[in-house]
Amino acid sequence: MKKIIFLMTVLSAVVFNSFASAPPKKVLDTATFATGCFWCTEAKFQQLKGVEKVISGFSGGHVANPSYELVCTGTTGHAEACNIIYDPAKISYDELLAAFFVAHDPTQLNRQGNDVGTQYRSAIFYHNATQKQKAQYYISKLNTEKAYKSPIVTQVVQYKAFYKAENYHQNYFNQNGEQPYCKYVIQPELEKFKKVFKDKLKQ
């Protein structure tokens, strides 16, 4: 808990004067994050006010339109990722980055807990230069402040393509809450996440 509190303090204390820009012209924007299993990523980011939709899929690989089964072999280069469609007037990219670093352990290389493989790597797929700068800044700041015992291994790479996963993966936790993985892996992680962001949750 001390680590999480410290992490949130570091993130909330930074003022991005150097990254200041005019308000976005479009109503909605997109962040693409990989934090391990996309079922868990989706369940957490769905909770935040300003997040309009979360889509589970695959990004960062070299195979077009891969199936879940193929990605699970670790041969496609893809990470399980989520497109997080949000309203910048209600939640900022900075706040989404804060959620990203709380939602998983960014110091684990090619795994999250018992989920092992490059498809479970930590990654930020940036859509523009501002997203890239902010992601790199936060990683540098958190490493400098030693917010974690080990260095952050999150990849910061350009968004090129996103392939939506099969329909049964979408909104998975809400539709399969009684499944053992949901009940004993996702649920405890989700509760921790909601405690940290209790003032940012949808009603």
Side-chain angles (χ1 to χ4, degrees):
M1 179 57 77
K2 288 184 178 179
K3 180 186 71 177
I4 292 176
I5 293 173
F6 178 77
L7 175 61
M8 294 302 295
T9 301
V10 170
L11 292 173
S12 63
V14 178
V15 179
F16 282 89
N17 291 326
S18 60
F19 301 146
S21 59
K25 293 181 181 179
K26 58 183 178 181
V27 176
L28 300 178
D29 206 344
T30 301
T32 304
F33 296 149
T35 71
C37 173
F38 51 24
W39 297 340
C40 196
T41 307
E42 178 190 65
K44 291 173 181 176
F45 281 90
Q46 283 178 333
Q47 306 298 316
L48 300 175
K49 287 186 292 187
V51 172
E52 299 290 325
K53 188 175 183 180
V54 182
I55 303 170
S56 292
F58 316 106
S59 196
H62 52 78
V63 176
N65 298 306
S67 67
Y68 176 70
E69 287 74 17
L70 186 58
V71 171
C72 283
T73 67
T75 61
T76 70
H78 290 285
E80 289 194 13
C82 286
N83 266 354
I84 300 158
I85 301 167
Y86 67 100
D87 182 351
K90 297 179 180 178
I91 188 169
S92 68
Y93 188 71
D94 305 71
E95 291 173 309
L96 291 174
L97 281 174
F100 170 85
F101 286 111
V102 171
H104 74 308
D105 182 353
T107 70
Q108 291 194 36
L109 183 63
N110 297 329
R111 70 177 299 163
Q112 283 296 304
N114 292 325
D115 294 326
V116 180
T118 56
Q119 67 270 31
Y120 299 114
R121 66 186 181 271
S122 174
I124 297 169
F125 297 95
Y126 61 86
H127 290 252
N128 52 54
T130 299
Q131 287 188 357
K132 178 182 180 181
Q133 288 174 319
K134 289 186 175 185
Q136 291 177 332
Y137 182 91
Y138 278 131
I139 290 172
S140 176
K141 183 70 173 177
L142 292 169
N143 279 333
T144 299
E145 297 293 341
K146 298 188 184 302
Y148 297 91
K149 293 180 180 179
S150 302
I152 291 171
V153 296
T154 300
Q155 294 180 344
V156 179
V157 293
Q158 185 176 6
Y159 175 96
K160 293 183 178 180
F162 179 88
Y163 301 102
K164 183 180 177 181
E166 294 85 346
N167 287 335
Y168 75 90
H169 290 295
Q170 309 304 321
N171 201 31
Y172 189 88
F173 175 77
N174 292 327
Q175 295 183 353
N176 301 275
E178 293 304 312
Q179 294 285 344
Y181 187 87
C182 291
K183 195 170 184 179
Y184 299 110
V185 178
I186 298 178
Q187 184 67 49
E189 289 295 317
L190 181 59
E191 292 305 317
K192 291 178 185 178
F193 182 84
K194 289 168 70 173
K195 286 180 181 179
V196 175
F197 292 98
K198 59 184 179 181
D199 296 328
K200 299 290 184 180
L201 302 179
K202 295 173 182 174
Q203 299 301 319

